[in-house]
Amino acid sequence: MPKKKTGARKKAEKQKERQREIRKGAEQRQIAQWPCNFTMECDKCGRRQKNRAFCYFCSAVQKLPVCGHCAKVKCMQKTGDCVIKHPGQFTTGLGMVGAICDFCEAFICHGRKCLTTHACECPLADLECKECERGVWDHGGRIFKCSFCDCALCEDDQFEHQAMCQQVEAESLKCASCNKLGQYSCLRCKVCFCEDHVRRKGFKYNRGEPIPCPKCSYDTKETKDLSMSTRKVAYGRQTNDGGEQSFGYTYDDDDDDGGGYGYYGAAAEGGSYCDEDEDDEDDDEDEQDDEEDTDMADHLSHLNIGPTYS
């Protein structure tokens, strides 16, 4: 018979389990929930932006800085891991600041844990927007992650990118290696795979987990669960230097005999099919304008306006 657990042992096990869940939740925290990516309003210019040490627009220092790691505004620890000891009093403002992060440009409090761990755990380290290729220091907005391809996006391009993200770089939803229908889609590579080519040889797959992409190892999703669309190609008529439509034919400027052997019909003789029609239309418009002017003059001829002064 196993020994019964005492109350202290049960309490210790519950506390360990709770701490394990807290650490697991911190690792799976989304990038928008980090304090260094919070929304901040400048005290001087009043513009909203990402949490940072200095205002992006007016470079003003904030009166109540927020720690980019623990979201602390006021240090109330009389005895703790504070690098700068302040026994018997609370600290706010710049008295609580210990450093500025080089990646997220946010204040870090003077706690030893925040100073030693934030630089390694900063979620904004080396993040650039996939659309505009701007970093944190190049724009004042927040950083988000695409819900489909998990790429970094700035605040200006997040909606446009996610609206066009479910698109395959192909003209059909067939597998990239064969002509079978692609049952799995990688939203980062924009490629579809069938059941045979999505699995790699010598790789162990766990049941119930999503199958990684054979190219980039990103988790694939089933095509039927997505609103996937194919690539569209827009064809347009090419124009030469003169502004005339060449209809896909070449044009040779060195040919002195005619308008170029690339054209056909009347265009090969230096003319165009549309020249005569355009001239006739211009003549008709001129005649209509002359008739309108004469009619207006007849209507106003019997009026006695009298002397006018400018």
Side-chain angles (χ1 to χ4, degrees):
M1 293 291 294
K3 294 182 179 180
K4 292 184 178 181
K5 296 181 180 180
T6 60
R9 185 177 179 85
K10 291 180 180 178
K11 185 177 180 180
E13 290 181 355
K14 288 182 180 179
Q15 188 174 2
K16 287 182 180 179
E17 185 67 25
R18 195 179 302 113
Q19 293 293 335
R20 191 181 298 110
E21 291 179 359
I22 291 173
R23 288 193 297 269
K24 185 178 179 180
E27 294 176 357
Q28 297 178 355
R29 184 166 46 173
Q30 297 181 1
I31 190 172
Q33 298 176 353
W34 279 82
C36 58
N37 203 23
F38 282 173
T39 303
M40 181 194 73
E41 186 174 350
C42 179
D43 301 330
K44 187 175 181 180
C45 63
R47 295 187 178 182
R48 299 183 64 184
Q49 55 194 293
K50 189 191 77 67
N51 180 23
R52 58 182 70 238
F54 307 97
C55 178
Y56 178 79
F57 303 99
C58 63
S59 302
V61 182
Q62 305 306 308
K63 295 181 180 179
L64 291 176
V66 180
C67 178
H69 188 78
C70 62
K72 187 188 299 181
V73 182
K74 184 177 183 180
C75 184
M76 303 176 63
Q77 295 182 1
K78 298 181 180 180
T79 57
D81 63 342
C82 297
V83 176
I84 302 174
K85 302 297 181 181
H86 47 90
Q89 61 180 358
F90 301 148
T91 57
T92 57
L94 295 179
M96 188 196 68
V97 175
I100 298 177
C101 181
D102 293 334
F103 303 115
C104 60
E105 199 183 352
F107 279 127
I108 307 299
C109 67
H110 58 218
R112 191 179 302 275
K113 180 181 178 181
C114 296
L115 291 174
T116 55
T117 60
H118 178 76
C120 301
E121 298 178 359
C122 183
L124 304 183
D126 301 332
L127 282 185
E128 290 185 356
C129 178
K130 187 178 180 181
E131 297 293 333
C132 60
E133 297 181 356
R134 293 185 300 174
V136 180
W137 291 76
D138 299 330
H139 64 92
R142 303 169 65 191
I143 299 293
F144 298 92
K145 286 289 188 71
C146 179
S147 58
F148 302 110
C149 62
D150 199 33
C151 294
L153 298 171
C154 66
E155 197 167 1
D156 300 331
D157 300 328
Q158 59 165 333
F159 297 109
E160 289 80 358
H161 173 82
Q162 293 192 86
M164 299 294 294
C165 189
Q166 298 187 62
Q167 184 175 358
V168 180
E169 293 294 334
E171 297 180 359
S172 62
L173 296 177
K174 293 183 179 180
C175 178
S177 302
C178 61
N179 289 328
K180 294 182 180 179
L181 182 63
Q183 300 179 8
Y184 299 92
S185 300
C186 177
L187 293 172
R188 183 170 291 180
C189 298
K190 310 298 183 185
V191 181
C192 294
F193 299 97
C194 63
E195 183 69 28
D196 300 332
H197 293 95
V198 75
R199 300 179 184 273
R200 291 176 289 179
K201 295 182 179 180
F203 189 85
K204 184 179 180 181
Y205 296 94
N206 298 325
R207 182 177 296 179
E209 295 183 359
I211 301 175
C213 175
K215 288 187 176 182
C216 63
S217 299
Y218 183 69
D219 293 342
T220 59
K221 296 182 180 180
E222 294 189 11
T223 309
K224 63 181 182 181
D225 297 337
L226 303 171
S227 299
M228 298 297 293
S229 59
T230 57
R231 181 180 58 187
K232 296 180 180 179
V233 181
Y235 296 95
R237 291 182 175 179
Q238 300 177 356
T239 58
N240 52 23
D241 297 335
E244 297 179 356
Q245 294 179 353
S246 60
F247 299 97
Y249 287 83
T250 58
Y251 182 77
D252 191 4
D253 293 336
D254 298 334
D255 191 3
D256 298 333
D257 297 335
Y261 56 84
Y263 287 90
Y264 54 91
E269 300 177 359
S272 176
Y273 285 111
C274 302
D275 291 342
E276 297 179 359
D277 297 337
E278 291 178 356
D279 295 338
D280 296 338
E281 292 178 358
D282 294 339
D283 295 338
D284 295 338
E285 291 178 358
D286 294 338
E287 292 177 358
Q288 292 179 1
D289 294 339
D290 296 338
E291 292 177 358
E292 291 178 358
D293 294 339
T294 54
D295 294 340
M296 185 62 66
D298 295 339
H299 285 295
L300 300 178
S301 60
H302 65 280
L303 297 178
N304 187 10
I305 301 176
T308 58
Y309 302 94
S310 58

Short mmCIF file of all heavy atoms in Angstrom, two decimals, residues 31-63:
data_model
loop_
_atom_site.label_atom_id
_atom_site.label_comp_id
_atom_site.label_asym_id
_atom_site.label_seq_id
_atom_site.Cartn_x
_atom_site.Cartn_y
_atom_site.Cartn_z
N ILE A 31 2.51 37.63 -29.35
CA ILE A 31 3.39 38.79 -29.40
C ILE A 31 2.64 40.07 -29.05
O ILE A 31 3.24 41.03 -28.54
CB ILE A 31 4.02 38.89 -30.81
CG1 ILE A 31 5.12 39.94 -30.81
CG2 ILE A 31 2.96 39.20 -31.85
CD1 ILE A 31 5.91 39.97 -32.09
N ALA A 32 1.34 40.11 -29.27
CA ALA A 32 0.57 41.31 -28.93
C ALA A 32 0.33 41.45 -27.43
O ALA A 32 -0.07 42.52 -26.97
CB ALA A 32 -0.77 41.29 -29.66
N GLN A 33 0.58 40.39 -26.66
CA GLN A 33 0.36 40.42 -25.22
C GLN A 33 1.62 40.76 -24.44
O GLN A 33 1.56 40.87 -23.21
CB GLN A 33 -0.19 39.07 -24.75
CG GLN A 33 -1.53 38.70 -25.36
CD GLN A 33 -2.00 37.32 -24.95
OE1 GLN A 33 -1.26 36.57 -24.31
NE2 GLN A 33 -3.22 36.97 -25.32
N TRP A 34 2.74 40.93 -25.10
CA TRP A 34 3.97 41.29 -24.40
C TRP A 34 3.92 42.76 -24.01
O TRP A 34 3.45 43.61 -24.78
CB TRP A 34 5.18 41.03 -25.28
CG TRP A 34 5.61 39.60 -25.29
CD1 TRP A 34 5.09 38.60 -26.05
CD2 TRP A 34 6.65 39.02 -24.50
NE1 TRP A 34 5.75 37.42 -25.79
CE2 TRP A 34 6.71 37.65 -24.84
CE3 TRP A 34 7.54 39.51 -23.56
CZ2 TRP A 34 7.62 36.77 -24.26
CZ3 TRP A 34 8.45 38.65 -22.98
CH2 TRP A 34 8.48 37.30 -23.32
N PRO A 35 4.43 43.11 -22.83
CA PRO A 35 4.41 44.53 -22.41
C PRO A 35 5.22 45.45 -23.31
O PRO A 35 4.89 46.63 -23.44
CB PRO A 35 4.99 44.48 -20.99
CG PRO A 35 4.79 43.08 -20.53
CD PRO A 35 4.91 42.23 -21.75
N CYS A 36 6.26 44.93 -23.94
CA CYS A 36 7.05 45.78 -24.83
C CYS A 36 6.33 46.09 -26.13
O CYS A 36 6.80 46.93 -26.91
CB CYS A 36 8.39 45.11 -25.13
SG CYS A 36 8.26 43.49 -25.90
N ASN A 37 5.18 45.44 -26.36
CA ASN A 37 4.39 45.69 -27.56
C ASN A 37 3.03 46.28 -27.22
O ASN A 37 2.11 46.23 -28.04
CB ASN A 37 4.21 44.38 -28.34
CG ASN A 37 3.91 44.61 -29.80
OD1 ASN A 37 4.21 45.66 -30.36
ND2 ASN A 37 3.29 43.63 -30.44
N PHE A 38 2.90 46.85 -26.01
CA PHE A 38 1.65 47.48 -25.62
C PHE A 38 1.46 48.80 -26.37
O PHE A 38 2.39 49.36 -26.94
CB PHE A 38 1.64 47.75 -24.11
CG PHE A 38 1.34 46.53 -23.29
CD1 PHE A 38 1.43 46.57 -21.90
CD2 PHE A 38 0.98 45.34 -23.88
CE1 PHE A 38 1.16 45.45 -21.14
CE2 PHE A 38 0.71 44.21 -23.13
CZ PHE A 38 0.80 44.27 -21.76
N THR A 39 0.23 49.30 -26.32
CA THR A 39 -0.08 50.60 -26.91
C THR A 39 0.22 51.71 -25.91
O THR A 39 -0.15 51.61 -24.74
CB THR A 39 -1.55 50.67 -27.34
OG1 THR A 39 -1.82 49.60 -28.25
CG2 THR A 39 -1.86 51.99 -28.01
N MET A 40 0.89 52.75 -26.35
CA MET A 40 1.27 53.86 -25.50
C MET A 40 0.81 55.17 -26.14
O MET A 40 0.82 55.30 -27.37
CB MET A 40 2.79 53.88 -25.30
CG MET A 40 3.30 55.00 -24.41
SD MET A 40 5.09 55.20 -24.54
CE MET A 40 5.23 55.96 -26.15
N GLU A 41 0.40 56.11 -25.31
CA GLU A 41 0.02 57.44 -25.78
C GLU A 41 1.00 58.46 -25.23
O GLU A 41 1.23 58.52 -24.02
CB GLU A 41 -1.41 57.78 -25.34
CG GLU A 41 -1.92 59.08 -25.91
CD GLU A 41 -3.38 59.33 -25.58
OE1 GLU A 41 -4.03 58.39 -25.08
OE2 GLU A 41 -3.86 60.45 -25.82
N CYS A 42 1.59 59.22 -26.11
CA CYS A 42 2.62 60.18 -25.70
C CYS A 42 2.02 61.27 -24.82
O CYS A 42 0.90 61.75 -25.06
CB CYS A 42 3.28 60.79 -26.94
SG CYS A 42 4.56 62.01 -26.56
N ASP A 43 2.75 61.67 -23.79
CA ASP A 43 2.28 62.71 -22.88
C ASP A 43 2.34 64.10 -23.51
O ASP A 43 1.58 64.99 -23.13
CB ASP A 43 3.13 62.71 -21.60
CG ASP A 43 3.05 61.37 -20.88
OD1 ASP A 43 2.01 60.71 -21.00
OD2 ASP A 43 4.04 61.00 -20.21
N LYS A 44 3.21 64.28 -24.50
CA LYS A 44 3.41 65.61 -25.07
C LYS A 44 2.58 65.82 -26.33
O LYS A 44 1.82 66.79 -26.42
CB LYS A 44 4.90 65.81 -25.38
CG LYS A 44 5.24 67.21 -25.83
CD LYS A 44 6.75 67.37 -26.01
CE LYS A 44 7.09 68.79 -26.44
NZ LYS A 44 8.56 68.96 -26.62
N CYS A 45 2.71 64.91 -27.31
CA CYS A 45 1.99 65.10 -28.58
C CYS A 45 0.67 64.34 -28.63
O CYS A 45 -0.16 64.61 -29.50
CB CYS A 45 2.87 64.67 -29.75
SG CYS A 45 3.32 62.92 -29.75
N GLY A 46 0.45 63.40 -27.73
CA GLY A 46 -0.82 62.69 -27.66
C GLY A 46 -1.04 61.64 -28.73
O GLY A 46 -2.16 61.18 -28.91
N ARG A 47 0.00 61.23 -29.44
CA ARG A 47 -0.15 60.23 -30.50
C ARG A 47 0.04 58.83 -29.93
O ARG A 47 0.89 58.60 -29.07
CB ARG A 47 0.86 60.47 -31.62
CG ARG A 47 0.64 61.77 -32.36
CD ARG A 47 1.55 61.86 -33.57
NE ARG A 47 1.33 63.08 -34.34
CZ ARG A 47 1.97 63.38 -35.46
NH1 ARG A 47 2.88 62.53 -35.94
NH2 ARG A 47 1.71 64.49 -36.10
N ARG A 48 -0.77 57.92 -30.44
CA ARG A 48 -0.69 56.53 -29.99
C ARG A 48 0.36 55.79 -30.78
O ARG A 48 0.48 55.96 -32.00
CB ARG A 48 -2.05 55.86 -30.14
CG ARG A 48 -3.16 56.51 -29.33
CD ARG A 48 -4.45 55.76 -29.47
NE ARG A 48 -4.36 54.42 -28.93
CZ ARG A 48 -5.34 53.52 -28.98
NH1 ARG A 48 -6.48 53.82 -29.58
NH2 ARG A 48 -5.18 52.32 -28.46
N GLN A 49 1.11 54.94 -30.09
CA GLN A 49 2.21 54.21 -30.71
C GLN A 49 2.56 53.01 -29.84
O GLN A 49 1.87 52.72 -28.85
CB GLN A 49 3.42 55.14 -30.84
CG GLN A 49 3.83 55.77 -29.52
CD GLN A 49 4.78 56.92 -29.72
OE1 GLN A 49 5.90 56.71 -30.13
NE2 GLN A 49 4.33 58.13 -29.43
N LYS A 50 3.61 52.33 -30.22
CA LYS A 50 4.07 51.18 -29.44
C LYS A 50 4.79 51.67 -28.19
O LYS A 50 5.34 52.76 -28.16
CB LYS A 50 5.03 50.34 -30.30
CG LYS A 50 5.42 49.01 -29.67
CD LYS A 50 6.53 48.36 -30.44
CE LYS A 50 7.86 49.03 -30.12
NZ LYS A 50 8.28 48.80 -28.72
N ASN A 51 4.77 50.84 -27.16
CA ASN A 51 5.47 51.17 -25.92
C ASN A 51 6.96 51.31 -26.19
O ASN A 51 7.62 50.36 -26.62
CB ASN A 51 5.21 50.08 -24.88
CG ASN A 51 5.90 50.38 -23.56
OD1 ASN A 51 6.20 51.52 -23.25
ND2 ASN A 51 6.14 49.33 -22.78
N ARG A 52 7.49 52.50 -25.96
CA ARG A 52 8.90 52.76 -26.20
C ARG A 52 9.40 53.81 -25.22
O ARG A 52 8.60 54.52 -24.59
CB ARG A 52 9.17 53.20 -27.64
CG ARG A 52 8.42 54.42 -28.06
CD ARG A 52 8.70 54.76 -29.53
NE ARG A 52 8.11 53.81 -30.44
CZ ARG A 52 8.80 53.11 -31.33
NH1 ARG A 52 10.11 53.24 -31.41
NH2 ARG A 52 8.20 52.28 -32.15
N ALA A 53 10.71 53.92 -25.09
CA ALA A 53 11.29 54.84 -24.12
C ALA A 53 11.08 56.29 -24.53
O ALA A 53 10.73 57.14 -23.70
CB ALA A 53 12.79 54.54 -23.95
N PHE A 54 11.28 56.58 -25.81
CA PHE A 54 11.12 57.93 -26.32
C PHE A 54 10.02 57.93 -27.38
O PHE A 54 9.87 56.96 -28.12
CB PHE A 54 12.44 58.44 -26.93
CG PHE A 54 13.61 58.34 -26.01
CD1 PHE A 54 14.48 57.26 -26.08
CD2 PHE A 54 13.84 59.30 -25.05
CE1 PHE A 54 15.55 57.15 -25.23
CE2 PHE A 54 14.91 59.20 -24.18
CZ PHE A 54 15.77 58.13 -24.27
N CYS A 55 9.29 59.02 -27.45
CA CYS A 55 8.22 59.13 -28.44
C CYS A 55 8.81 59.06 -29.84
O CYS A 55 9.83 59.69 -30.13
CB CYS A 55 7.44 60.43 -28.23
SG CYS A 55 6.12 60.69 -29.45
N TYR A 56 8.16 58.32 -30.71
CA TYR A 56 8.66 58.17 -32.08
C TYR A 56 8.51 59.46 -32.88
O TYR A 56 9.28 59.71 -33.80
CB TYR A 56 7.89 57.03 -32.76
CG TYR A 56 8.28 56.79 -34.20
CD1 TYR A 56 9.43 56.08 -34.51
CD2 TYR A 56 7.50 57.27 -35.24
CE1 TYR A 56 9.80 55.86 -35.82
CE2 TYR A 56 7.85 57.06 -36.56
CZ TYR A 56 9.00 56.35 -36.84
OH TYR A 56 9.36 56.14 -38.15
N PHE A 57 7.54 60.29 -32.52
CA PHE A 57 7.24 61.49 -33.30
C PHE A 57 7.92 62.74 -32.75
O PHE A 57 8.46 63.53 -33.51
CB PHE A 57 5.72 61.70 -33.36
CG PHE A 57 4.97 60.53 -33.93
CD1 PHE A 57 4.37 59.60 -33.09
CD2 PHE A 57 4.89 60.34 -35.29
CE1 PHE A 57 3.68 58.52 -33.62
CE2 PHE A 57 4.21 59.26 -35.82
CZ PHE A 57 3.60 58.35 -34.98
N CYS A 58 7.89 62.93 -31.42
CA CYS A 58 8.46 64.14 -30.84
C CYS A 58 9.66 63.88 -29.94
O CYS A 58 10.22 64.82 -29.37
CB CYS A 58 7.39 64.90 -30.05
SG CYS A 58 6.73 63.99 -28.64
N SER A 59 10.05 62.61 -29.77
CA SER A 59 11.23 62.22 -28.98
C SER A 59 11.14 62.66 -27.52
O SER A 59 12.16 62.92 -26.87
CB SER A 59 12.52 62.78 -29.61
OG SER A 59 12.66 62.32 -30.93
N ALA A 60 9.94 62.74 -26.98
CA ALA A 60 9.77 63.13 -25.58
C ALA A 60 9.84 61.90 -24.68
O ALA A 60 9.39 60.82 -25.05
CB ALA A 60 8.42 63.83 -25.40
N VAL A 61 10.42 62.09 -23.49
CA VAL A 61 10.52 61.01 -22.52
C VAL A 61 9.21 60.91 -21.75
O VAL A 61 8.65 61.93 -21.33
CB VAL A 61 11.70 61.25 -21.56
CG1 VAL A 61 11.84 60.09 -20.58
CG2 VAL A 61 12.99 61.43 -22.33
N GLN A 62 8.73 59.68 -21.55
CA GLN A 62 7.46 59.49 -20.87
C GLN A 62 7.61 59.66 -19.36
O GLN A 62 8.63 59.29 -18.78
CB GLN A 62 6.91 58.10 -21.18
CG GLN A 62 6.79 57.81 -22.66
CD GLN A 62 5.98 58.85 -23.39
OE1 GLN A 62 4.86 59.17 -23.01
NE2 GLN A 62 6.55 59.43 -24.43
N LYS A 63 6.57 60.23 -18.74
CA LYS A 63 6.62 60.49 -17.30
C LYS A 63 6.48 59.21 -16.49
O LYS A 63 7.13 59.04 -15.46
CB LYS A 63 5.52 61.48 -16.91
CG LYS A 63 5.69 62.86 -17.52
CD LYS A 63 4.57 63.78 -17.09
CE LYS A 63 4.73 65.17 -17.70
NZ LYS A 63 3.62 66.08 -17.29
#
